[in-house]
Structures are given as structure tokens and as C-alpha cells.
Amino acid sequence: MTAGRGAGFEAVFLDPVGQVVQQRWADAALAVAFEDLAPVSAFPVIPGRRWGPGLWWSATTGRHVSAGSNAMRTQLMVLDRDPDVTALAGQPVRLLWRNPRGQVRSWVPQLFARYTDGTALLADCPSHPDAGGERALGAAQAVTEACGHIGWTYRRLPPLDDILAANLKWLAGYRHPRNAGRPGLTAAVLEAFARPRPLLEGAQATGDPIAVLPAVFHALWHRQLTTDLDTPLHERAMVSSGSLPHAGAGVTAGRLREDAGESEDGHDEETQDMSETAENADTDAGGDEAGARRGEEV
């Protein structure tokens, strides 16, 4: 098998009862709801790191998604806010293929996102462009090819701008439905911002800001309101229930698809027979250096 043929890729994942399954990638992509599966490989715990594996509560699905790093959590946050995304999962599948020398390669993308049209995104979340080294970059080329065969997308998602990341983290704190407030409050908030006005002014026009601001932030998270998220969010930030000129709303699935197709060269992992891969693989996610050090090798 070679990575140059769609049939040469295989998928390894855990079925709903936790049993390891290995099958042809193209068949699995059509039949398996990866968004409903547990991680196929545990996220590593790195001593000395300020942030370790955890769970992200998804406003899209109402369920928790496993996250292995701060960079991954940030990208989960972006995708969770994207209206084109219907479901998310943390590293639910391992991809296997053979390189031109016949060696078996393996990679576990960190993120899976399902789109409204049924296609999907596999992604890694490097903390900087060169994170993971040659092994990660080489695997990215193969996974891009595997996804291309079935109409999906693979991306190494670049870190967010600091201001955008800070704004999204603030709004994410209000993503839960409880922040919509009492019945009718969201409608009143949207009416108050029917014309662009400063954030605090619109909140005060609706009622007590202490009660109203959570609903404003909740509406901003869900894109019912618009503001420029590429500049610091503050009380005088202009907010509207319509569009704002030059307002940056963050990364969307559409932009991820437009940017798709970037690939990197090289397949540098050392592996063993593919028939032994599913049983013996202990690969961790491919996005950052820790994952690559532990080896996207089997």
C-alpha cells in the first residue's frame, strides 16, 4: 500500500464500546460518526507545562470534547463558535499508510470537526508553525492527501492573534445557554443594538447592565450580535445586530476551507508492519512538539 492511492490509507478508532477497529479509510469516513467516538489515543501529560489535558464544553453539541493543550483548546473555541460546524471531537481516529519504501506510518490528528454539509475537518493545533518538526510536517502531507481523496480537509491551524484569542476567550465564558437570561431578554438586547452603538450604552438601554451584559456577551458568542473582535473588546466597542464595517469576527470554517491545501514534505517516522499497528500503536496527537517526541511512530 502507498499513500499515493486512496485505498492505501487505513483508519484505527475505538468503537462505542471501546474496542479497537481498523478498516479502510474511505469506508470508515463514509460509515463512522467520528464525532461520537472517544479519543483513540490518550493526550500526554507533560511535566512542567502550565496547561495539561482537559475537557472543553461545546456550545455546539452540549457535550465535552477532549483537549490536549492550550493551543488545541483555543482552536476548539474557534470551531465551536463557527456556524458551519455541527460537531467536534478530540483525536478520534488514527491514520495509517505506507511510504514509498513500504514502511508503515501513523498519525493522530488532534481535532475532528463535522460540517453542515456532512464533510469534515481533521486538524492539528501547533503552538508555532514549526512545532512537531519534520515528522509532523511529513504527516501533514499524507493526511492532507487522505482527506483529499474523500472530500475532507486537513489543516495545521495557525495560532490566533493575541487580541482575537483574548476576545474569544472572554466571550466563551458566556457561551452556555444560562447566560441568555430571562425570557425575552435576548430579543430586547438585539433590538437595543438594531443600530450600531457602544456596548455599555446598549446594555444600559436594555436594563441593569449587571443582568444584561451576560446576555450581550452570549449573543456576541453566538453571532447574533457583531463587533470587531480583532481589536480589544471594551465598554465603548461598537456593537450591532447587523454588520459592522471592517469588523473582524474570527476564523470560520469557510476560511479554513479556503486556506486548505497547504502541505509539507517528508515522511520520516520509523514503523513496523501495518498488521501490528492497531494493537501496538501508542501514538499521541500530532500538533505540538510533545506529540512528535513521543512519536507518531508505531
mmCIF file of all heavy atoms in Angstrom, residues 137-175:
data_model
loop_
_atom_site.group_PDB
_atom_site.id
_atom_site.type_symbol
_atom_site.label_atom_id
_atom_site.label_comp_id
_atom_site.label_asym_id
_atom_site.label_seq_id
_atom_site.Cartn_x
_atom_site.Cartn_y
_atom_site.Cartn_z
ATOM 1 N N LEU A 137 5.367 17.663 9.985
ATOM 2 C CA LEU A 137 5.187 18.245 8.666
ATOM 3 C C LEU A 137 5.018 17.173 7.594
ATOM 4 O O LEU A 137 4.219 17.317 6.659
ATOM 5 C CB LEU A 137 6.373 19.153 8.329
ATOM 6 C CG LEU A 137 6.604 20.332 9.285
ATOM 7 C CD1 LEU A 137 7.812 21.146 8.836
ATOM 8 C CD2 LEU A 137 5.368 21.208 9.364
ATOM 9 N N GLY A 138 5.757 16.081 7.730
ATOM 10 C CA GLY A 138 5.609 14.987 6.787
ATOM 11 C C GLY A 138 4.251 14.319 6.905
ATOM 12 O O GLY A 138 3.606 14.000 5.902
ATOM 13 N N ALA A 139 3.796 14.107 8.138
ATOM 14 C CA ALA A 139 2.480 13.506 8.341
ATOM 15 C C ALA A 139 1.384 14.411 7.796
ATOM 16 O O ALA A 139 0.375 13.935 7.265
ATOM 17 C CB ALA A 139 2.255 13.237 9.825
ATOM 18 N N ALA A 140 1.580 15.716 7.899
ATOM 19 C CA ALA A 140 0.578 16.653 7.394
ATOM 20 C C ALA A 140 0.343 16.459 5.907
ATOM 21 O O ALA A 140 -0.797 16.547 5.426
ATOM 22 C CB ALA A 140 1.013 18.088 7.682
ATOM 23 N N GLN A 141 1.397 16.185 5.172
ATOM 24 C CA GLN A 141 1.254 15.962 3.733
ATOM 25 C C GLN A 141 0.406 14.733 3.462
ATOM 26 O O GLN A 141 -0.490 14.745 2.605
ATOM 27 C CB GLN A 141 2.625 15.812 3.081
ATOM 28 C CG GLN A 141 2.542 15.644 1.567
ATOM 29 C CD GLN A 141 3.904 15.428 0.940
ATOM 30 O OE1 GLN A 141 4.805 14.886 1.581
ATOM 31 N NE2 GLN A 141 4.056 15.836 -0.304
ATOM 32 N N ALA A 142 0.673 13.648 4.191
ATOM 33 C CA ALA A 142 -0.071 12.414 3.974
ATOM 34 C C ALA A 142 -1.532 12.563 4.384
ATOM 35 O O ALA A 142 -2.437 12.103 3.676
ATOM 36 C CB ALA A 142 0.576 11.274 4.750
ATOM 37 N N VAL A 143 -1.785 13.189 5.531
ATOM 38 C CA VAL A 143 -3.166 13.340 5.991
ATOM 39 C C VAL A 143 -3.943 14.270 5.058
ATOM 40 O O VAL A 143 -5.128 14.066 4.797
ATOM 41 C CB VAL A 143 -3.194 13.845 7.449
ATOM 42 C CG1 VAL A 143 -4.639 14.020 7.920
ATOM 43 C CG2 VAL A 143 -2.475 12.864 8.370
ATOM 44 N N THR A 144 -3.276 15.300 4.544
ATOM 45 C CA THR A 144 -3.912 16.156 3.542
ATOM 46 C C THR A 144 -4.355 15.335 2.340
ATOM 47 O O THR A 144 -5.467 15.498 1.815
ATOM 48 C CB THR A 144 -2.938 17.262 3.092
ATOM 49 O OG1 THR A 144 -2.631 18.108 4.204
ATOM 50 C CG2 THR A 144 -3.545 18.119 1.981
ATOM 51 N N GLU A 145 -3.489 14.434 1.895
ATOM 52 C CA GLU A 145 -3.809 13.584 0.752
ATOM 53 C C GLU A 145 -4.967 12.649 1.069
ATOM 54 O O GLU A 145 -5.887 12.472 0.263
ATOM 55 C CB GLU A 145 -2.570 12.781 0.355
ATOM 56 C CG GLU A 145 -2.743 11.973 -0.916
ATOM 57 C CD GLU A 145 -1.458 11.257 -1.318
ATOM 58 O OE1 GLU A 145 -0.377 11.692 -0.869
ATOM 59 O OE2 GLU A 145 -1.559 10.282 -2.084
ATOM 60 N N ALA A 146 -4.936 12.045 2.260
ATOM 61 C CA ALA A 146 -6.015 11.133 2.659
ATOM 62 C C ALA A 146 -7.359 11.854 2.688
ATOM 63 O O ALA A 146 -8.375 11.327 2.227
ATOM 64 C CB ALA A 146 -5.707 10.528 4.028
ATOM 65 N N CYS A 147 -7.365 13.044 3.238
ATOM 66 C CA CYS A 147 -8.609 13.808 3.300
ATOM 67 C C CYS A 147 -9.068 14.226 1.903
ATOM 68 O O CYS A 147 -10.268 14.236 1.604
ATOM 69 C CB CYS A 147 -8.426 15.041 4.183
ATOM 70 S SG CYS A 147 -8.310 14.663 5.953
ATOM 71 N N GLY A 148 -8.123 14.580 1.055
ATOM 72 C CA GLY A 148 -8.470 14.992 -0.301
ATOM 73 C C GLY A 148 -9.180 13.896 -1.074
ATOM 74 O O GLY A 148 -10.065 14.171 -1.895
ATOM 75 N N HIS A 149 -8.827 12.636 -0.826
ATOM 76 C CA HIS A 149 -9.451 11.518 -1.535
ATOM 77 C C HIS A 149 -10.940 11.413 -1.233
ATOM 78 O O HIS A 149 -11.707 10.880 -2.055
ATOM 79 C CB HIS A 149 -8.771 10.197 -1.153
ATOM 80 C CG HIS A 149 -7.425 10.007 -1.773
ATOM 81 N ND1 HIS A 149 -7.207 10.070 -3.128
ATOM 82 C CD2 HIS A 149 -6.219 9.735 -1.206
ATOM 83 C CE1 HIS A 149 -5.929 9.859 -3.379
ATOM 84 N NE2 HIS A 149 -5.300 9.654 -2.238
ATOM 85 N N ILE A 150 -11.372 11.884 -0.060
ATOM 86 C CA ILE A 150 -12.777 11.702 0.332
ATOM 87 C C ILE A 150 -13.527 13.027 0.439
ATOM 88 O O ILE A 150 -14.651 13.070 0.931
ATOM 89 C CB ILE A 150 -12.867 10.945 1.677
ATOM 90 C CG1 ILE A 150 -12.120 11.701 2.781
ATOM 91 C CG2 ILE A 150 -12.331 9.534 1.531
ATOM 92 C CD1 ILE A 150 -12.325 11.123 4.161
ATOM 93 N N GLY A 151 -12.898 14.115 -0.006
ATOM 94 C CA GLY A 151 -13.579 15.401 0.016
ATOM 95 C C GLY A 151 -13.557 16.111 1.352
ATOM 96 O O GLY A 151 -14.338 17.032 1.581
ATOM 97 N N TRP A 152 -12.657 15.687 2.250
ATOM 98 C CA TRP A 152 -12.498 16.355 3.526
ATOM 99 C C TRP A 152 -11.309 17.316 3.458
ATOM 100 O O TRP A 152 -10.643 17.434 2.434
ATOM 101 C CB TRP A 152 -12.271 15.339 4.649
ATOM 102 C CG TRP A 152 -13.481 14.523 5.009
ATOM 103 C CD1 TRP A 152 -14.666 14.454 4.326
ATOM 104 C CD2 TRP A 152 -13.602 13.634 6.122
ATOM 105 N NE1 TRP A 152 -15.517 13.584 4.944
ATOM 106 C CE2 TRP A 152 -14.895 13.059 6.053
ATOM 107 C CE3 TRP A 152 -12.756 13.268 7.155
ATOM 108 C CZ2 TRP A 152 -15.353 12.153 6.996
ATOM 109 C CZ3 TRP A 152 -13.204 12.356 8.094
ATOM 110 C CH2 TRP A 152 -14.495 11.803 8.018
ATOM 111 N N THR A 153 -11.032 17.975 4.581
ATOM 112 C CA THR A 153 -9.954 18.948 4.668
ATOM 113 C C THR A 153 -9.047 18.618 5.849
ATOM 114 O O THR A 153 -9.534 18.198 6.905
ATOM 115 C CB THR A 153 -10.522 20.370 4.860
ATOM 116 O OG1 THR A 153 -11.384 20.690 3.771
ATOM 117 C CG2 THR A 153 -9.405 21.411 4.934
ATOM 118 N N TYR A 154 -7.755 18.796 5.661
ATOM 119 C CA TYR A 154 -6.816 18.741 6.779
ATOM 120 C C TYR A 154 -6.098 20.076 6.872
ATOM 121 O O TYR A 154 -5.721 20.671 5.846
ATOM 122 C CB TYR A 154 -5.770 17.641 6.598
ATOM 123 C CG TYR A 154 -4.657 17.742 7.635
ATOM 124 C CD1 TYR A 154 -4.852 17.275 8.932
ATOM 125 C CD2 TYR A 154 -3.442 18.353 7.319
ATOM 126 C CE1 TYR A 154 -3.850 17.402 9.886
ATOM 127 C CE2 TYR A 154 -2.437 18.478 8.267
ATOM 128 C CZ TYR A 154 -2.643 18.006 9.548
ATOM 129 O OH TYR A 154 -1.665 18.150 10.498
ATOM 130 N N ARG A 155 -5.888 20.551 8.114
ATOM 131 C CA ARG A 155 -5.172 21.812 8.319
ATOM 132 C C ARG A 155 -4.294 21.723 9.546
ATOM 133 O O ARG A 155 -4.648 21.076 10.540
ATOM 134 C CB ARG A 155 -6.167 22.971 8.521
ATOM 135 C CG ARG A 155 -6.970 23.322 7.295
ATOM 136 C CD ARG A 155 -6.170 24.212 6.354
ATOM 137 N NE ARG A 155 -6.058 25.558 6.890
ATOM 138 C CZ ARG A 155 -4.933 26.226 7.086
ATOM 139 N NH1 ARG A 155 -3.786 25.676 6.792
ATOM 140 N NH2 ARG A 155 -4.933 27.447 7.558
ATOM 141 N N ARG A 156 -3.135 22.364 9.469
ATOM 142 C CA ARG A 156 -2.375 22.719 10.677
ATOM 143 C C ARG A 156 -2.813 24.146 11.006
ATOM 144 O O ARG A 156 -2.421 25.095 10.317
ATOM 145 C CB ARG A 156 -0.868 22.632 10.413
ATOM 146 C CG ARG A 156 -0.318 21.220 10.533
ATOM 147 C CD ARG A 156 1.129 21.129 10.076
ATOM 148 N NE ARG A 156 2.036 21.981 10.850
ATOM 149 C CZ ARG A 156 2.646 21.614 11.988
ATOM 150 N NH1 ARG A 156 2.403 20.420 12.499
ATOM 151 N NH2 ARG A 156 3.478 22.429 12.596
ATOM 152 N N LEU A 157 -3.618 24.276 12.036
ATOM 153 C CA LEU A 157 -4.249 25.555 12.325
ATOM 154 C C LEU A 157 -3.257 26.501 12.986
ATOM 155 O O LEU A 157 -2.693 26.188 14.040
ATOM 156 C CB LEU A 157 -5.459 25.346 13.242
ATOM 157 C CG LEU A 157 -6.543 24.423 12.683
ATOM 158 C CD1 LEU A 157 -7.635 24.188 13.728
ATOM 159 C CD2 LEU A 157 -7.144 24.994 11.414
ATOM 160 N N PRO A 158 -3.030 27.671 12.410
ATOM 161 C CA PRO A 158 -2.055 28.602 12.987
ATOM 162 C C PRO A 158 -2.595 29.223 14.276
ATOM 163 O O PRO A 158 -3.801 29.387 14.441
ATOM 164 C CB PRO A 158 -1.887 29.658 11.887
ATOM 165 C CG PRO A 158 -3.185 29.636 11.154
ATOM 166 C CD PRO A 158 -3.642 28.196 11.168
ATOM 167 N N PRO A 159 -1.713 29.575 15.210
ATOM 168 C CA PRO A 159 -2.160 30.244 16.440
ATOM 169 C C PRO A 159 -2.897 31.544 16.115
ATOM 170 O O PRO A 159 -2.611 32.219 15.136
ATOM 171 C CB PRO A 159 -0.842 30.518 17.189
ATOM 172 C CG PRO A 159 0.125 29.529 16.632
ATOM 173 C CD PRO A 159 -0.253 29.345 15.195
ATOM 174 N N LEU A 160 -3.856 31.882 16.967
ATOM 175 C CA LEU A 160 -4.614 33.111 16.777
ATOM 176 C C LEU A 160 -3.801 34.326 17.189
ATOM 177 O O LEU A 160 -2.894 34.245 18.032
ATOM 178 C CB LEU A 160 -5.896 33.083 17.611
ATOM 179 C CG LEU A 160 -6.926 31.994 17.328
ATOM 180 C CD1 LEU A 160 -8.192 32.287 18.134
ATOM 181 C CD2 LEU A 160 -7.233 31.871 15.862
ATOM 182 N N ASP A 161 -4.156 35.466 16.617
ATOM 183 C CA ASP A 161 -3.650 36.739 17.111
ATOM 184 C C ASP A 161 -4.029 36.890 18.583
ATOM 185 O O ASP A 161 -5.116 36.477 19.010
ATOM 186 C CB ASP A 161 -4.261 37.874 16.280
ATOM 187 C CG ASP A 161 -3.928 39.238 16.834
ATOM 188 O OD1 ASP A 161 -2.818 39.726 16.587
ATOM 189 O OD2 ASP A 161 -4.802 39.814 17.533
ATOM 190 N N ASP A 162 -3.158 37.480 19.375
ATOM 191 C CA ASP A 162 -3.389 37.574 20.823
ATOM 192 C C ASP A 162 -4.686 38.298 21.161
ATOM 193 O O ASP A 162 -5.419 37.894 22.082
ATOM 194 C CB ASP A 162 -2.217 38.288 21.503
ATOM 195 C CG ASP A 162 -0.953 37.443 21.533
ATOM 196 O OD1 ASP A 162 -1.051 36.214 21.304
ATOM 197 O OD2 ASP A 162 0.126 38.009 21.781
ATOM 198 N N ILE A 163 -4.990 39.367 20.445
ATOM 199 C CA ILE A 163 -6.210 40.129 20.746
ATOM 200 C C ILE A 163 -7.448 39.311 20.414
ATOM 201 O O ILE A 163 -8.389 39.231 21.211
ATOM 202 C CB ILE A 163 -6.212 41.471 19.987
ATOM 203 C CG1 ILE A 163 -5.111 42.380 20.524
ATOM 204 C CG2 ILE A 163 -7.576 42.159 20.103
ATOM 205 C CD1 ILE A 163 -4.974 43.689 19.771
ATOM 206 N N LEU A 164 -7.465 38.683 19.254
ATOM 207 C CA LEU A 164 -8.601 37.850 18.882
ATOM 208 C C LEU A 164 -8.783 36.709 19.874
ATOM 209 O O LEU A 164 -9.907 36.416 20.311
ATOM 210 C CB LEU A 164 -8.410 37.301 17.466
ATOM 211 C CG LEU A 164 -9.461 36.302 16.973
ATOM 212 C CD1 LEU A 164 -10.852 36.913 16.996
ATOM 213 C CD2 LEU A 164 -9.098 35.804 15.582
ATOM 214 N N ALA A 165 -7.680 36.071 20.259
ATOM 215 C CA ALA A 165 -7.762 34.966 21.214
ATOM 216 C C ALA A 165 -8.328 35.434 22.547
ATOM 217 O O ALA A 165 -9.177 34.769 23.150
ATOM 218 C CB ALA A 165 -6.383 34.338 21.403
ATOM 219 N N ALA A 166 -7.868 36.595 23.028
ATOM 220 C CA ALA A 166 -8.359 37.120 24.304
ATOM 221 C C ALA A 166 -9.850 37.444 24.232
ATOM 222 O O ALA A 166 -10.607 37.152 25.169
ATOM 223 C CB ALA A 166 -7.556 38.358 24.692
ATOM 224 N N ASN A 167 -10.281 38.045 23.125
ATOM 225 C CA ASN A 167 -11.702 38.368 22.980
ATOM 226 C C ASN A 167 -12.568 37.112 22.946
ATOM 227 O O ASN A 167 -13.632 37.051 23.585
ATOM 228 C CB ASN A 167 -11.924 39.183 21.699
ATOM 229 C CG ASN A 167 -11.433 40.606 21.812
ATOM 230 O OD1 ASN A 167 -11.284 41.147 22.903
ATOM 231 N ND2 ASN A 167 -11.168 41.238 20.677
ATOM 232 N N LEU A 168 -12.124 36.107 22.195
ATOM 233 C CA LEU A 168 -12.904 34.878 22.106
ATOM 234 C C LEU A 168 -12.950 34.151 23.452
ATOM 235 O O LEU A 168 -13.981 33.584 23.821
ATOM 236 C CB LEU A 168 -12.327 33.967 21.028
ATOM 237 C CG LEU A 168 -12.549 34.415 19.583
ATOM 238 C CD1 LEU A 168 -11.890 33.429 18.620
ATOM 239 C CD2 LEU A 168 -14.037 34.555 19.267
ATOM 240 N N LYS A 169 -11.842 34.156 24.179
ATOM 241 C CA LYS A 169 -11.846 33.518 25.500
ATOM 242 C C LYS A 169 -12.822 34.210 26.438
ATOM 243 O O LYS A 169 -13.510 33.565 27.235
ATOM 244 C CB LYS A 169 -10.429 33.546 26.092
ATOM 245 C CG LYS A 169 -9.480 32.560 25.427
ATOM 246 C CD LYS A 169 -8.064 32.669 25.985
ATOM 247 C CE LYS A 169 -7.125 31.711 25.275
ATOM 248 N NZ LYS A 169 -5.726 31.841 25.765
ATOM 249 N N TRP A 170 -12.894 35.544 26.344
ATOM 250 C CA TRP A 170 -13.854 36.273 27.182
ATOM 251 C C TRP A 170 -15.285 35.879 26.814
ATOM 252 O O TRP A 170 -16.093 35.544 27.681
ATOM 253 C CB TRP A 170 -13.650 37.773 27.019
ATOM 254 C CG TRP A 170 -14.655 38.575 27.796
ATOM 255 C CD1 TRP A 170 -15.827 39.102 27.342
ATOM 256 C CD2 TRP A 170 -14.593 38.905 29.188
ATOM 257 N NE1 TRP A 170 -16.502 39.750 28.349
ATOM 258 C CE2 TRP A 170 -15.762 39.641 29.494
ATOM 259 C CE3 TRP A 170 -13.659 38.648 30.202
ATOM 260 C CZ2 TRP A 170 -16.017 40.129 30.780
ATOM 261 C CZ3 TRP A 170 -13.921 39.138 31.478
ATOM 262 C CH2 TRP A 170 -15.088 39.864 31.754
ATOM 263 N N LEU A 171 -15.601 35.919 25.527
ATOM 264 C CA LEU A 171 -16.958 35.583 25.096
ATOM 265 C C LEU A 171 -17.294 34.120 25.384
ATOM 266 O O LEU A 171 -18.451 33.792 25.683
ATOM 267 C CB LEU A 171 -17.120 35.872 23.608
ATOM 268 C CG LEU A 171 -16.998 37.338 23.187
ATOM 269 C CD1 LEU A 171 -17.205 37.464 21.682
ATOM 270 C CD2 LEU A 171 -17.998 38.221 23.937
ATOM 271 N N ALA A 172 -16.289 33.243 25.304
ATOM 272 C CA ALA A 172 -16.531 31.829 25.565
ATOM 273 C C ALA A 172 -17.034 31.587 26.981
ATOM 274 O O ALA A 172 -17.765 30.625 27.232
ATOM 275 C CB ALA A 172 -15.246 31.020 25.330
ATOM 276 N N GLY A 173 -16.669 32.479 27.898
ATOM 277 C CA GLY A 173 -17.161 32.349 29.261
ATOM 278 C C GLY A 173 -18.661 32.548 29.378
ATOM 279 O O GLY A 173 -19.257 32.228 30.415
ATOM 280 N N TYR A 174 -19.287 33.035 28.309
ATOM 281 C CA TYR A 174 -20.733 33.293 28.310
ATOM 282 C C TYR A 174 -21.451 32.446 27.267
ATOM 283 O O TYR A 174 -22.585 32.752 26.897
ATOM 284 C CB TYR A 174 -20.995 34.781 28.044
ATOM 285 C CG TYR A 174 -20.429 35.679 29.116
ATOM 286 C CD1 TYR A 174 -19.118 36.156 29.025
ATOM 287 C CD2 TYR A 174 -21.180 36.019 30.243
ATOM 288 C CE1 TYR A 174 -18.579 36.965 30.016
ATOM 289 C CE2 TYR A 174 -20.647 36.817 31.240
ATOM 290 C CZ TYR A 174 -19.343 37.291 31.116
ATOM 291 O OH TYR A 174 -18.810 38.094 32.108
ATOM 292 N N ARG A 175 -20.827 31.347 26.813
ATOM 293 C CA ARG A 175 -21.418 30.560 25.734
ATOM 294 C C ARG A 175 -22.578 29.688 26.190
ATOM 295 O O ARG A 175 -23.413 29.293 25.383
ATOM 296 C CB ARG A 175 -20.352 29.702 25.057
ATOM 297 C CG ARG A 175 -19.757 28.584 25.922
ATOM 298 C CD ARG A 175 -18.547 27.978 25.229
ATOM 299 N NE ARG A 175 -17.979 26.829 25.937
ATOM 300 C CZ ARG A 175 -17.139 26.918 26.959
ATOM 301 N NH1 ARG A 175 -16.782 28.111 27.420
ATOM 302 N NH2 ARG A 175 -16.657 25.834 27.540
#
